[in-house]
Amino acid sequence: MRKSKRKMTISLLVLIVPWLTVPFIGRKSFVRFLPVAMFANLFISIFTIIANRKAWFKNKSPLTPRAGIDFTYILGAHFIATLWIFKMTYGSFSKFLLTNIVLDWVNIFPFGGALKKEGIFKMKKMSPSSYWLMTVLLAMVLYGYQYIWEKIIRKKANNELNSCSSLNNECNRERI
């Protein structure tokens, strides 16, 4: 297989295959963890723009060759992996952190090495260890974000529930 065709195939797989697992996440979990996954993607997108300008690493995705961001990874594997990690580990910070430490290591070292070999991604002025540390720190920030997000939602839901219980008839009319 020609190198450019292989790069295209790998990029498409990184984008599409993770989405095939979404039905198994479940609608409730998908909606619950969607804000944190979107926040993670926003952070990674901004970080990637900065990293490309400072030549920390280089993305050469054939699907988005002129973009400074590898949308195939960000909208595929990263987005869906964030949803899955939160679904499987949220509620136990130590489990969440250990999972992220291991998966980020696999993502950066073996997977990153394979992408470098294929000419899709290459670390330049930033070491893989520094990038790994940044992703682990990001995971901690994301856990805090989800914790605060859920606290705000619970508080809002409790306030609505309390106001509805005192005005039960009005709340029932509003729902109809």
Side-chain angles (χ1 to χ4, degrees):
M1 192 182 301
R2 286 189 7 243
K3 188 96 170 168
S4 63
K5 193 171 183 177
R6 260 175 83 131
K7 286 168 81 171
M8 182 67 77
T9 302
I10 291 168
S11 292
L12 284 170
L13 288 172
V14 169
L15 176 65
I16 296 169
V17 170
W19 280 95
L20 298 176
T21 69
V22 168
F24 303 107
I25 292 174
R27 181 184 206 118
K28 187 176 178 182
S29 293
F30 186 87
V31 171
R32 178 182 180 192
F33 299 121
L34 183 62
V36 74
M38 291 170 54
F39 178 71
N41 279 4
L42 175 64
F43 182 89
I44 291 293
S45 297
I46 292 168
F47 176 77
T48 302
I49 291 168
I50 294 167
N52 283 329
R53 287 188 183 151
K54 296 194 178 275
W56 290 341
F57 53 77
K58 184 73 176 162
N59 293 310
K60 295 180 183 177
S61 172
L63 295 177
T64 55
R66 288 188 170 48
I69 301 172
D70 182 7
F71 289 109
T72 57
Y73 173 72
I74 292 171
L75 297 176
H78 188 267
F79 184 75
I80 302 303
T82 301
L83 292 169
W84 272 109
I85 291 168
F86 271 94
K87 176 186 172 63
M88 303 300 283
T89 65
Y90 188 72
S92 171
F93 180 72
S94 58
K95 193 176 181 182
F96 175 82
L97 187 58
L98 181 62
T99 300
N100 272 282
I101 286 170
V102 171
L103 290 180
D104 287 343
W105 185 88
V106 169
N107 185 40
I108 292 164
F109 293 99
F111 188 65
L115 292 178
K116 178 182 178 184
K117 185 178 176 183
E118 293 299 326
I120 296 172
F121 179 81
K122 182 180 178 183
M123 298 301 287
K124 288 180 143 188
K125 292 182 180 177
M126 178 181 265
S127 72
S129 297
S130 297
Y131 187 66
W132 173 78
L133 181 61
M134 189 274 311
T135 59
V136 171
L137 293 173
L138 172 61
M140 289 186 249
V141 169
L142 293 176
Y143 195 90
Y145 178 88
Q146 182 65 25
Y147 178 80
I148 292 167
W149 181 261
E150 290 200 356
K151 209 171 183 181
I152 290 168
I153 289 174
R154 269 193 228 115
K155 186 177 181 180
K156 185 178 178 184
N158 285 340
N159 288 342
E160 287 176 4
L161 185 63
N162 289 338
S163 67
C164 279
S165 63
S166 63
L167 303 169
N168 198 13
N169 290 336
E170 286 181 41
C171 290
N172 288 335
R173 278 187 232 131
E174 284 179 17
R175 289 185 190 144
I176 299 172

